[in-house]
Amino acid sequence: MIYTFTEEHSMIQQAARDFAKTELLPGVIERDEKAIAPLAQIKSMQEMGFMGMMCDPKYGGDGMDTLSYVLAMEEISKVEPAASVVMSVQNSLVNWGIEHYASEEIKQKYLFPMASGEKIGAFALSEPEAGSDATMQRTTAVDMGDYYLLNGTKNWITNAAEADYFIVIAQTNASKGHKGINALIVEKGYEGFALGPAENKMGMRASHTHSLMFTDVKVPKKNRIGKDGFGFKFSMLCLNGGRIGIAAQAVGIAQGALDLATQYSKERKSFGKYLYKHQGIAFKLAQMEADTEAARLLVHKAAWLKDAGKDYSKAGAIAKLMAADNAMRVTTEAVQIHGGYGYVKEYHVERMMRDAKLTQIYEGTSEIQKIVIARALIKG
Ligand code: CAA
């Protein structure tokens, strides 16, 4: 692996760091507590170009590489992962999928406004009975000639409340199994499309997650992404890259918690000395630093492979597995180092611990990442 950290990468990293500090940090505790989405901040992210980072400028994007994207993801996630997940779904699932596999007509109509920051997208794969076992789609898209008739329910959809456009995965021909599944673009205003109530979640509370209900929704045939039956493969291909974004998010959460724990250990005294002077605390911090740096390098490796046009599905799964599990360990240790203060909201680390948990679940649980890694290993 040879990757260069250019001046442009440093500038993007700094811009994301400054944005997180000035625009996200001030209200982050209140937004988490009251489950308020950071709408004004998402608007700023759109204006700053964070919502179309990797997309070709001819479709309204910034044409940046995946390394730039993961650097920005990490910085924003240090402060408010509920904001970075909006960016992650939009960049690496929705925009990337459309740019690589949709028709030119779809790109002009849907990708351009999303990549240029006017509109928001969501990705609807999960269902009440199809989470990890994603081929078991019950939502149906019946071929009616020039449109599909969409019926069913999607669950756990990130960005659902804010999104203008949804990529919806649905079964057209059950007898063909995963080869009978399609990916369709559904607009917010289509008749028969409704949002369920927001989930009351443990973490990432400022990112609103809803179910989607479709009752006889007519979706034009031209809104299908790729050939008939490509929808499942399409969603897997999108998730390969999405997992790199979530891995970067997990590194950011871990680094944010480590920074706070390190700072606290320099301010708080016990038994007559600063916490960091106790070897028990210093060793914890050292392990947190070493593990987070290792996770970061796995994320950068996966990003480099993607930019180099090489296979990155195993590398993305490894990065997500290691970074998410590390985020859970590091945030738990950060709460422990803060003692009683770590358990109260003003000190941020309890929120980070709750947020970290989701990185082990969405875009494929840690167990799903192990399936992806094991299959690649056996295949050789
Ligand atoms: N990359 C490319 N193609 C893949 C793939 C990958 N990582 N994984 C599977 N495929 C392809 C296979 O090659 C196969 O295609 P062919 O028949 O053409 O060869 C097809 O998909 C079916 O594959 P499998 O037979 O391996 O399918 P499976 O039922 O055994 O399961 C799985 C595969 C990896 C477990 C898959 O179901 C999976 O990834 N599940 C997790 C789903 C997930 O991550 N959901 C997250 C929801 S989205 C989200 O969280 C977004 C958000 O809002 C934040």
Side-chain angles (χ1 to χ4, degrees), residues 126 132 135 158 178-179 232-233 236 240 243 363-364 375:
S126 300
S132 290
T135 60
T158 307
H178 73 265
K179 292 197 166 135
F232 185 75
K233 185 89 180 170
M236 293 295 109
N240 285 338
R243 288 166 183 161
E363 300 209 18
R375 286 184 181 176

Side-chain angles (χ1 to χ4, degrees), residues 167-233:
I167 295 180
V168 179
I169 311 298
Q171 182 68 256
T172 295
N173 188 340
S175 68
K176 290 189 178 168
H178 73 265
K179 292 197 166 135
I181 291 173
N182 281 312
L184 309 175
I185 298 183
V186 174
E187 296 184 23
K188 180 163 85 177
Y190 281 2
E191 206 181 325
F193 174 23
L195 278 191
E199 303 291 350
N200 187 6
K201 296 183 299 185
M202 165 184 167
M204 301 271 189
R205 290 176 50 76
S207 154
H208 291 173
T209 307
H210 294 250
S211 54
L212 314 178
M213 272 90 75
F214 304 101
T215 311
D216 289 338
V217 178
K218 287 183 180 173
V219 184
K221 204 73 164 280
K222 60 186 180 190
N223 281 20
R224 188 184 72 212
I225 298 174
K227 290 194 178 126
D228 184 30
F230 180 61
F232 185 75
K233 185 89 180 170

Side-chain angles (χ1 to χ4, degrees), residues 2-277:
I2 308 163
Y3 74 89
T4 316
F5 203 74
T6 62
E7 204 172 310
E8 199 189 351
H9 288 128
S10 301
M11 280 165 59
I12 291 158
Q13 188 179 43
Q14 193 58 49
R17 190 174 291 164
D18 292 345
F19 164 76
K21 197 171 159 195
T22 55
E23 294 204 37
L24 295 176
L25 187 59
V28 66
I29 292 173
E30 190 188 2
R31 284 193 294 276
D32 168 73
E33 204 168 348
K34 298 184 180 159
I36 300 168
L39 294 180
Q41 292 78 1
I42 292 169
K43 190 88 207 121
S44 300
M45 283 160 70
Q46 289 175 297
E47 285 159 8
M48 289 176 79
F50 287 138
M51 302 296 273
M53 289 187 76
M54 294 176 288
C55 195
D56 193 318
K58 76 176 177 190
Y59 297 119
D62 303 309
M64 293 180 193
D65 59 10
T66 314
L67 185 58
S68 306
Y69 165 65
V70 297
L71 291 170
M73 274 297 296
E74 180 182 336
E75 291 305 322
I76 292 172
S77 307
K78 276 186 196 171
V79 177
E80 190 165 17
S84 73
V85 73
V86 180
M87 174 177 158
S88 172
V89 168
Q90 170 110 343
N91 279 281
S92 45
L93 296 180
V94 180
N95 289 351
W96 186 87
I98 293 178
E99 184 172 7
H100 285 82
Y101 299 106
S103 66
E104 193 56 35
E105 193 179 345
I106 289 183
K107 288 182 201 176
Q108 294 299 338
K109 184 167 178 192
Y110 296 110
L111 179 57
F112 200 92
M114 287 193 283
S116 60
E118 289 159 47
K119 303 278 187 193
I120 291 181
F123 187 84
L125 170 67
S126 300
E127 296 191 353
E129 291 172 75
S132 290
D133 191 2
T135 60
M136 295 310 287
Q137 295 289 312
R138 296 240 171 129
T139 298
T140 53
V142 177
D143 189 340
M144 305 295 283
D146 56 355
Y147 64 91
Y148 287 101
L149 199 61
L150 191 64
N151 278 287
T153 303
K154 292 286 170 184
N155 252 24
W156 316 113
I157 307 306
T158 307
N159 289 0
E162 294 81 29
D164 304 279
Y165 307 136
F166 297 76
I167 295 180
V168 179
I169 311 298
Q171 182 68 256
T172 295
N173 188 340
S175 68
K176 290 189 178 168
H178 73 265
K179 292 197 166 135
I181 291 173
N182 281 312
L184 309 175
I185 298 183
V186 174
E187 296 184 23
K188 180 163 85 177
Y190 281 2
E191 206 181 325
F193 174 23
L195 278 191
E199 303 291 350
N200 187 6
K201 296 183 299 185
M202 165 184 167
M204 301 271 189
R205 290 176 50 76
S207 154
H208 291 173
T209 307
H210 294 250
S211 54
L212 314 178
M213 272 90 75
F214 304 101
T215 311
D216 289 338
V217 178
K218 287 183 180 173
V219 184
K221 204 73 164 280
K222 60 186 180 190
N223 281 20
R224 188 184 72 212
I225 298 174
K227 290 194 178 126
D228 184 30
F230 180 61
F232 185 75
K233 185 89 180 170
F234 168 78
S235 61
M236 293 295 109
L237 291 162
C238 294
L239 282 163
N240 285 338
R243 288 166 183 161
I244 303 175
I246 300 301
Q249 180 182 62
V251 170
I253 296 171
Q255 189 63 53
L258 172 57
D259 291 347
L260 289 173
T262 306
Q263 187 58 34
Y264 184 75
S265 78
K266 294 198 258 184
E267 289 164 3
R268 169 82 173 173
K269 283 184 174 173
S270 70
F271 302 99
K273 54 185 180 182
Y274 286 110
L275 291 187
Y276 74 89
K277 291 198 169 164

